[in-house]
Amino acid sequence: MRISNIMILLSLVVSLLMIDSAAFAKKKKRKRKHKQKQSEQMTTDMSESMGSGQTYAYGMAGCGLGSLIIKQNSMMGQVTAATLNGTGAQTSGISTGTSNCRVNHSMAQLEQEVFITANFASLSKDAAQGEGQHLRAFAEVLGCTDQLGDFARVSQQNYAEIFSVTDPKAALDNYRGVIISNEALSGTCNRARI
Amino acid sequence: MKALKAAWVLTCAFFFLQPTVFASSYQEDLVSQSQKLKLAETAAWQKLLYYSSKWFGRDMGTIDSETFYLAKDGKRKPKAELTATINAFFNPPSNYKEVDHHPICAYPARLFWLRKQLKIDQSKLPKVQCSKLKEWLSKNKYNKLSVIFSSYYPDNPASMFGHTFLRLHQPAKQNNSSAGLLDQSINFSAFPDTSNPLLYTVRGLAGSFPGKYQLMPYFMKVQEYNNAERRDLWQYELDFSVEEIEFLLLCLWEIGSHHVDYYYFDDNCSAVILTLLEAVKPHLNLKKSIKAWVIPSDTLRAIASSPGLIRSVSIEPSVLTKFLLRYQALDSHQKKLVSMIFHQKISINQLGEQASMRDTARQAKVIDTVLELIDFEDRVAGSSLGEKHAALRHQVLLVRSKLKEKPQEIPYFPETEQPHLGHPSSQLGLNLGLNGKHQQFAELNWRPALHELLALEKGYSENLEIGFFHTSIRYKPLNQSVFLNEYSLLRIWSLPTTPWIIKQPAWTVDMGSQAVRNCTYSQSVCQRYFVNAGAGYTTDYLNKSVVLYLMLAGELGHSKESNLGNYIAPALFYGLWVKPVQNLKVLIRSQLIKQYGLNQEIVDQRYRVGLNYSINDYSEVRLNLQKLQSHKDFSLGVNYYF
């Protein structure tokens, strides 16, 4: 079967010369250790466990995620993932503070940042429409699950204020400000106060 | 008496000082018991360690990290691996720098399974606190498991056959049954270390990239596939119990830090996911129907053919699908308004001033369609708010936020498009025919993947043909000759019939060789090698049952015909595609081409007419008529899908 692979390989080389190379989004080169030496050294840090289509940059302070740009045609379906957890021994890069994050960021803060960064565009649409699965998921991330209706209404009413900025993290601050100052929500959304 | 007491104390001391003596004998018991039970030969053990008998019936572990198999020859010997695993559990924790790397923590799935089989006494195992594993398991609680298929994507050769991954569903919270975006996905993919597409392909096929599992929030997948790549996501919920999902997590933990060499055609995302499912449910035999190459949609058919394994099927529509649904629900005036707002011929603030748009529900309908259109056109995803239309998007959203209208719900489940319903991806065909000189021929066709425009559309992307490795061998009884009549390495035809407002170009690529007859030397048949590509547009009539296309095209090639040699050729590709009913199709593809060789020029009008009748999901009858130079062929044949 490996032989068939090699045959296909040869022919595909030719074919690939023809295919528009623009179809391949430019990738940041990522160094990878080829072999894992010992099971002793299995722990890899988050930066290594993340995909190759990595296009976001860590912000200047702490683990601000900057913005997440998901490129089309990302190779092999890889996207950048600010994964909340990896698998196997690579886990807990974030929770134990081994990645670029400093420990002063709580898990809730991180989850909120990751969510709003990865879903900023979709969330803005859902908020303006006053409904949608991104809004529901974000309600859970902020701990507003019990008052979904109010959360959706407040998001829509305050759309202009929350989304007056294009930086996801700044929008998150606005969002939390709106929730905290809202009578209906400030009591329930227990994760909005950080 | 005293001596006896002393002896007793000594014996006790002996045993207390050497606890390993106890352990080792217990260890040996377990090993011999495992041999007696022939555990290493069970499907459960072999699947848990990802042994596969693909190498001429010999067991071979598919995991390529050196550390995954604990025995020296564990990759080849399930029995040696079993013994090594049992022994490893008794290694003193002090051997490990971090206690979390002790086999008890690193191989929890094997431990779980062996404990059940051998009734291992927990108290006799070394005391190890697997804090990382425990923490990870406490954070990962799921009650449902699905396989997700992201539809065919011709824009990228790496994913033209689709992609599969798993989704772990969180239990629904009260009042909030659908925060499903916060679920996790399990993705297996290559970790390439090059961005060069050529190297990427070569090395991808040769398996020199490590493939790894990754857990990633499901919303990342929605952003990537639904939004950035505009692909529908099909969800197949599997019949896995909560306990089985917990076991799957243990398997994942075990394999997570190891890798499988990623082969584009066999050890790929889809194949590896099947092995993971089989590790949890060893009685499943999903891989038996899988060929040497693994096409993602074939794995769906394998899953679907396992009785009761699929609980339900659903779809997460792409931004394109969502736009089309909203757009089709509008009347022609509303459609016009969508276009005018999008092209900024009227300001969004003027929408309410339109006579027919006093009603806010109607305004919302139009605005929501505009929003899908912007998101489609700009491939809005992640935190990018669009490029060309970012400012417009912001204005439209501001207006939308003032309308207290819920977006219109449009139920969508295209029953016939469920990818597992499609015909299998490999095709074998036999044609009998006559050429222009009334000579008979027989033709054998083989194509490992994927779908032709003439074939039954059910389960495949509308208007997309992806042919890979199509080979056709012809036999002529007259002079008893056998020759390669046609070979196509890769052939793509994309004839989208989207409405004009988002008109997507039609395009094609074809590369391969074809037999020609006007040969320079005395041979009766020689080859023309070519690569051609074209781009243009389609128009469609009668509810898409008649499609016309026109493309500007070019061809590069080398031909032995009429002393042509290397040539370059501008061309016009045009054709007609008629689909009166689902299982009857006619396709006329024509090429008007002028080949410029070094010494001469040849103008040719080629055409290829096909009439196809699909008998069922597996077979079809086809009538072919083709003309190349002055040579004409007519044939009738059957194709079988497997």
Side-chain angles (χ1 to χ4, degrees), chain A residues 1-2 4-5 7-9 11-19 21 23-24 26-27 29-30 32 34-43 48-52 66-92 95-96 107 114-122 124-125 127-131 133-134 136-137 139-141 145-146 148 152 156-157 159-160 163-166 168, chain B residues 54-55 66-67 95-98 101 106 132 135-136 139-140 153 155-158 170 173-176 178-179 181-182 184 187 189-193 195 197-198 200-203 205-206 208 210 212-217 219-221 223-225 227-229 252-253 256-259 262-267 292 316 368 371-372 375 379-385 393-394 397-398 400-401 403-407 409 468-469 487 489-490 511 531:
Chain A
M1 204 160 39
R2 262 39 171 192
S4 77
N5 266 331
M7 278 169 50
I8 295 167
L9 178 158
S11 24
L12 224 90
V13 172
V14 184
S15 73
L16 247 133
L17 286 168
M18 309 306 163
I19 292 169
S21 61
F24 296 87
K26 274 198 174 175
K27 292 287 169 315
K29 268 204 171 179
R30 199 181 58 84
R32 183 186 53 77
H34 252 285
K35 279 185 182 174
Q36 288 181 331
K37 290 161 201 160
Q38 289 263 322
S39 55
E40 295 283 307
Q41 294 166 324
M42 283 193 302
T43 317
E48 197 174 333
S49 73
M50 287 187 293
S52 65
S67 64
L68 179 72
I69 297 146
I70 295 175
K71 292 249 165 125
Q72 52 160 313
N73 291 328
S74 56
M75 216 175 270
M76 271 305 173
Q78 289 282 342
V79 230
T80 327
T83 40
L84 295 177
N85 45 29
T87 58
Q90 311 154 355
T91 43
S92 53
S95 57
T96 54
M107 200 60 198
V114 167
F115 186 89
I116 202 167
T117 308
N119 299 287
F120 193 49
S122 305
S124 68
K125 187 159 81 177
Q129 292 173 332
E131 194 182 89
Q133 56 172 346
H134 292 87
R136 286 195 291 272
E140 185 167 327
V141 173
T145 323
D146 291 340
L148 201 54
Q156 194 182 29
Q157 276 169 359
Y159 175 85
F163 293 95
S164 58
V165 289
T166 51
Chain B
K54 60 184 178 184
W55 288 78
E66 285 166 18
T67 46
N95 286 6
Y96 298 86
K97 254 188 243 158
E98 275 187 55
H101 296 152
K132 274 190 182 171
E135 190 195 338
W136 187 72
K139 271 193 235 147
N140 287 281
Y153 188 58
D155 295 10
N156 181 355
Q170 290 180 342
K173 299 252 161 60
Q174 274 184 334
N175 311 327
N176 189 15
S178 48
L181 287 175
L182 301 177
Q184 289 286 329
N187 195 43
S189 59
F191 280 67
D193 52 8
S195 56
L198 194 65
Y200 173 81
T201 309
V202 175
R203 294 186 48 199
L205 293 165
S208 83
K212 281 190 171 190
Y213 281 106
Q214 248 183 326
L215 268 188
M216 192 184 280
F219 56 71
M220 297 297 302
K221 295 280 153 197
Q223 293 297 338
E224 179 188 11
Y225 293 116
N227 296 348
E229 296 190 341
L252 207 59
W253 178 268
S257 48
H258 303 280
H259 73 267
Y262 195 104
Y263 287 87
Y264 187 89
F265 285 101
D266 51 4
D267 281 348
E316 188 82 57
D368 290 343
L371 286 169
E372 303 290 5
D375 288 0
R379 293 182 186 262
V380 167
S383 28
S384 112
L385 298 171
R393 189 179 192 271
H394 185 62
L397 285 172
L398 277 174
R400 180 65 179 89
S401 71
L403 301 177
K404 308 273 166 272
E405 299 285 344
K406 300 276 179 239
E409 293 249 3
F468 195 72
F469 236 57
Y487 167 73
L489 182 66
L490 179 67
M511 57 196 82
V531 177

Side-chain angles (χ1 to χ4, degrees), chain B residues 341 346-359 363 367 399:
Chain B
I341 295 168
I346 58 165
S347 148
I348 182 71
N349 297 311
Q350 292 168 279
L351 179 66
E353 296 161 16
Q354 301 280 320
S356 60
M357 284 289 139
R358 299 267 183 264
D359 176 29
Q363 289 176 25
I367 289 178
V399 172

Side-chain angles (χ1 to χ4, degrees), chain B residues 430-458:
Chain B
L430 182 69
N431 288 341
L432 297 174
L434 285 175
N435 66 17
K437 295 173 194 153
H438 299 282
Q439 295 164 333
Q440 296 164 346
F441 64 84
E443 198 175 72
L444 193 68
N445 291 300
W446 175 70
R447 195 213 57 211
L450 179 80
H451 174 70
E452 287 169 10
L453 290 174
L454 277 170
L456 204 58
E457 208 163 87
K458 184 172 72 173

Side-chain angles (χ1 to χ4, degrees), chain B residues 37-48:
Chain B
L37 292 169
K38 297 198 169 149
L39 289 185
E41 290 162 35
T42 59
W45 177 254
Q46 304 215 344
K47 288 181 175 179
L48 192 52

Side-chain angles (χ1 to χ4, degrees), chain B residues 450-486:
Chain B
L450 179 80
H451 174 70
E452 287 169 10
L453 290 174
L454 277 170
L456 204 58
E457 208 163 87
K458 184 172 72 173
Y460 284 90
S461 288
E462 200 185 17
N463 313 336
L464 176 65
E465 168 167 331
I466 296 177
F468 195 72
F469 236 57
H470 178 234
T471 311
S472 146
I473 291 168
R474 195 173 273 196
Y475 169 69
K476 256 165 80 177
L478 185 71
N479 47 4
Q480 300 226 324
S481 61
V482 175
F483 58 91
L484 184 67
N485 184 53
E486 218 184 319

Side-chain angles (χ1 to χ4, degrees), chain B residues 91-376:
Chain B
N91 287 349
S94 55
N95 286 6
Y96 298 86
K97 254 188 243 158
E98 275 187 55
V99 99
D100 286 285
H101 296 152
H102 189 279
I104 288 180
C105 304
Y107 302 97
R110 299 183 204 186
L111 181 64
F112 183 87
W113 185 77
L114 283 171
R115 236 159 60 190
K116 255 198 325 201
Q117 307 303 316
L118 298 172
K119 317 227 161 22
I120 297 176
D121 182 354
Q122 179 81 13
S123 65
K124 289 188 179 156
L125 286 170
K127 301 277 170 289
V128 183
Q129 284 298 322
C130 307
S131 51
K132 274 190 182 171
L133 173 62
K134 266 187 200 152
E135 190 195 338
W136 187 72
L137 288 175
S138 73
K139 271 193 235 147
N140 287 281
K141 300 262 183 239
Y142 308 101
N143 65 346
K144 284 192 286 184
L145 176 74
S146 296
V147 172
I148 312 277
F149 174 77
S150 69
S151 57
Y152 309 100
Y153 188 58
D155 295 10
N156 181 355
S159 48
M160 62 185 171
F161 297 125
H163 177 67
T164 52
F165 58 94
L166 296 173
R167 174 177 178 179
L168 291 160
H169 301 254
Q170 290 180 342
K173 299 252 161 60
Q174 274 184 334
N175 311 327
N176 189 15
S177 54
S178 48
L181 287 175
L182 301 177
D183 291 346
Q184 289 286 329
S185 65
I186 305 173
N187 195 43
F188 179 82
S189 59
F191 280 67
D193 52 8
T194 171
S195 56
N196 178 328
L198 194 65
L199 263 181
Y200 173 81
T201 309
V202 175
R203 294 186 48 199
L205 293 165
S208 83
F209 295 133
K212 281 190 171 190
Y213 281 106
Q214 248 183 326
L215 268 188
M216 192 184 280
Y218 182 62
F219 56 71
M220 297 297 302
K221 295 280 153 197
V222 168
Q223 293 297 338
E224 179 188 11
Y225 293 116
N226 278 169
N227 296 348
E229 296 190 341
R230 311 150 164 179
R231 297 159 76 176
D232 288 336
L233 290 173
W234 283 93
Q235 174 168 307
Y236 289 79
E237 193 192 318
L238 302 178
D239 189 35
F240 271 56
S241 66
V242 173
E243 292 74 31
E244 283 169 327
I245 293 169
E246 279 169 8
F247 187 65
L248 182 125
L249 287 172
L250 295 182
C251 293
L252 207 59
W253 178 268
E254 225 175 271
I255 199 177
S257 48
H258 303 280
H259 73 267
V260 179
D261 291 343
Y262 195 104
Y263 287 87
Y264 187 89
F265 285 101
D266 51 4
D267 281 348
N268 60 17
C269 59
S270 293
V272 168
I273 276 172
L274 291 186
T275 62
L276 185 63
L277 297 179
E278 286 192 4
V280 179
K281 279 182 184 271
H283 68 272
L284 289 178
N285 205 351
L286 301 171
K287 291 192 84 180
K288 71 161 191 282
S289 56
I290 297 294
K291 293 175 278 277
W293 55 92
V294 185
I295 304 291
S297 55
D298 283 339
T299 66
L300 294 180
R301 280 182 279 276
I303 290 169
S305 69
S306 192
L309 187 55
I310 295 176
R311 280 185 194 156
S312 64
V313 186
S314 55
I315 184 172
E316 188 82 57
S318 69
V319 61
L320 170 61
T321 307
K322 281 193 279 193
F323 166 74
L324 290 173
L325 288 172
R326 293 207 182 284
Y327 191 69
Q328 282 152 10
L330 301 181
D331 62 35
S332 58
H333 177 62
Q334 290 167 334
K335 282 180 182 169
K336 208 171 155 201
L337 284 172
V338 168
S339 169
M340 285 165 79
I341 295 168
F342 180 69
H343 293 110
Q344 307 196 27
K345 299 232 172 76
I346 58 165
S347 148
I348 182 71
N349 297 311
Q350 292 168 279
L351 179 66
E353 296 161 16
Q354 301 280 320
S356 60
M357 284 289 139
R358 299 267 183 264
D359 176 29
T360 52
R362 283 196 196 151
Q363 289 176 25
K365 259 176 91 172
V366 169
I367 289 178
D368 290 343
T369 313
V370 172
L371 286 169
E372 303 290 5
L373 179 56
I374 293 172
D375 288 0
F376 168 81

